[in-house]
């Protein structure tokens, strides 16, 4: 039987590296640190090795569909699938960034929503029975939901929203941002917030699909917030260390065998949050 395997995206620094570090200590299987840049990935691997921890490396740029597809093929070939997937990779423009909102919307949605969706499209079929899937979203997904028009809020909270409908709504946000009409369209004025709102909603849709299509496989898929964490993204004033930020994602990644919940939830500080 193949070894168990855990895969973390954006593992070369910040919360992703802390998730890899915690999995190296706690997971009974092989842990893959993936990164879009091989040199940054190798440097991270060496930093773990200097602490006596052993992770494996695989290049993976989630924005590059070929990279996603070839990584999925690699894990299928080598391990027959994946046991734990943590979609951590993400981007955020700095508040001071002067890039036009239209550009920020397109670029942010591309990585945080569309590329993470590509990961899920190509990796979910590989997730083995008993597998765990964790999407690192953010508490701003909840705040952004509450700032949407009542019509949009209703769709994002509904149990019958489909993946296609969600993709259409996320594309609509990008299109309306380009013409400066997103606020009239019922959206909040935050590209990052909408990208994570999309990711949390996608997590709920895919969890419902897993329950329907693979009811006996015991796979648990959730979105979570790591908290406000001191990383290159959030800056030095955030209260949590990366290791503290890794706690909730790792808790979801290591939900014990036979657990039936949480599933399809948004989780913060190890607690299911109201959506
Ligand atoms: P960092 O900016 O420190 O790290 C982001 C990681 O994502 C880096 O490894 C980066 O790689 C990687 N990444 C970005 N784009 C891609 C891509 N296309 N393919 C592969 N990897 C990519 O951020 P954090 O550690 O703070 O954030 C990690 C996650 O946590 C993100 O999803 C973020 O939105 C979320 N989050 C963070 C919070 C915080 O307070 N820090 C709060 C709430 C959520 P590279 O080094 O090559 O750029």
């Amino acid at each position: 039987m193949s070894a168990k395997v855990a895969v973390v995206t954006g593992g070369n620094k910040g919360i992703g590296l802390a998730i890899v570090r915690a999995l190296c200590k706690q997971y009974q299987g092989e842990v893959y640190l993936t990164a879009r840049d091989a040199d940054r990935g190798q440097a991270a691997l060496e930093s773990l090795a200097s602490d006596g921890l052993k992770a494996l490396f695989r290049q993976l740029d989630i924005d590059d569909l070929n990279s996603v597809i070839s990584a999925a093929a690699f894990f299928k070939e080598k391990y027959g699938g994946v046991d734990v997937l943590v979609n951590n990779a993400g981007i955020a423009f700095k508040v001071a960034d002067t890039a036009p909102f239209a550009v920020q919307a397109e670029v942010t949605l591309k990585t945080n929503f569309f590329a993470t969706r590509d990961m899920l499209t190509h990796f979910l079929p590989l997730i083995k029975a008993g597998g765990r899937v964790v999407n690192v979203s953010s508490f701003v997904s909840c705040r952004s939901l509450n700032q949407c028009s009542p019509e949009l809020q209703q769709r994002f909270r509904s149990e019958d929203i489909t993946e296609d409908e969600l993709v259409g709504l996320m594309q609509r946000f990008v299109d309306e941002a380009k013409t400066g009409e997103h606020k009239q369209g019922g959206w909040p004025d935050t590209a990052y917030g909408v990208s994570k709102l999309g990711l949390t909603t996608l997590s709920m849709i895919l969890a419902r699909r897993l329950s329907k299509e693979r009811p006996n496989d015991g796979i648990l898929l959730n979105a979570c917030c790591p908290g406000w964490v001191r990383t290159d993204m959030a800056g030095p004033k955030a209260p949590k260390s990366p290791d503290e930020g890794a706690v909730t994602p790792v808790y979801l990644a290591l939900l014990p065998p036979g657990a039936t919940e949480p599933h399809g939830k948004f989780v913060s500080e190890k607690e299911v949050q109201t959506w």
Side-chain angles (χ1 to χ4, degrees):
M1 206 172 87
S2 309
K4 283 188 177 269
V5 63
V7 179
V8 182
T9 67
N12 56 287
K13 67 176 183 177
I15 297 164
L17 177 55
I19 293 170
V20 171
R21 188 182 300 119
L23 289 176
C24 284
K25 292 177 185 166
Q26 298 176 47
Y27 185 60
Q28 303 292 321
E30 299 189 344
V31 181
Y32 272 81
L33 182 158
T34 75
R36 58 178 160 183
D37 182 277
D39 290 341
R40 288 197 285 273
Q42 289 297 345
L45 228 56
E46 283 162 27
S47 78
L48 291 169
S50 70
D51 290 337
L53 299 172
K54 181 170 162 26
L56 299 162
F57 178 70
R58 167 83 204 183
Q59 192 274 341
L60 174 51
D61 178 349
I62 67 164
D63 284 351
D64 175 355
L65 187 57
N66 288 327
S67 177
V68 171
I69 290 171
S70 87
F74 168 81
F75 287 108
K76 184 163 175 53
E77 162 77 19
K78 189 160 164 84
Y79 296 93
V82 168
D83 297 281
V84 171
L85 172 65
V86 183
N87 283 309
N88 161 80
I91 61 154
F93 282 80
K94 299 282 180 221
V95 176
D97 199 302
T98 54
F101 188 73
V103 172
Q104 298 202 17
E106 180 154 44
V107 172
T108 308
L109 272 278
K110 161 75 188 156
T111 299
N112 294 1
F113 180 74
F114 291 104
T116 305
R117 175 180 175 241
D118 288 338
M119 277 297 297
L120 289 158
T121 301
H122 291 280
F123 276 75
L124 265 198
L126 304 187
I127 301 297
K128 295 186 188 174
R132 307 287 180 246
V133 180
V134 184
N135 295 326
V136 181
S137 186
S138 167
F139 66 92
V140 303
S141 68
C142 298
R143 197 167 66 200
S144 300
L145 173 67
N146 290 323
Q147 291 169 345
C148 283
S149 66
E151 294 76 23
L152 283 173
Q153 288 189 38
Q154 191 278 332
R155 292 316 299 144
F156 291 125
R157 290 198 175 101
S158 75
E159 298 256 320
D160 63 3
I161 185 170
T162 63
E163 186 175 358
D164 283 350
E165 182 184 352
L166 175 64
V167 167
L169 286 170
M170 291 294 115
Q171 191 56 53
R172 195 184 102 191
F173 170 74
V174 173
D175 294 343
E176 291 180 356
K178 285 184 186 163
T179 55
E181 292 169 324
H182 60 283
K183 282 192 253 178
Q184 294 98 299
W187 299 100
D189 207 15
T190 157
Y192 181 77
V194 172
S195 74
K196 295 296 192 181
L197 159 60
L199 179 58
T200 301
T201 307
L202 180 63
S203 306
M204 293 173 176
I205 292 169
L206 295 178
R208 283 193 287 269
R209 188 187 301 161
L210 277 172
S211 300
K212 193 161 167 245
E213 294 180 358
R214 299 176 64 182
N216 301 318
D217 280 356
I219 298 168
L220 299 177
L221 182 157
N222 292 285
C224 70
C225 179
W228 187 22
V229 183
R230 285 187 301 278
T231 61
D232 288 349
M233 181 183 287
K237 291 189 185 144
K240 281 189 180 182
S241 68
D243 288 335
E244 289 166 337
V247 168
T248 292
V250 169
Y251 155 74
L252 292 171
L254 299 181
L255 285 167
T260 54
E261 58 184 7
H263 178 52
K265 303 294 188 213
F266 178 69
V267 180
S268 182
E269 306 297 335
K270 298 191 188 176
E271 299 283 347
V272 173
Q273 305 297 309
T274 307
W275 180 244

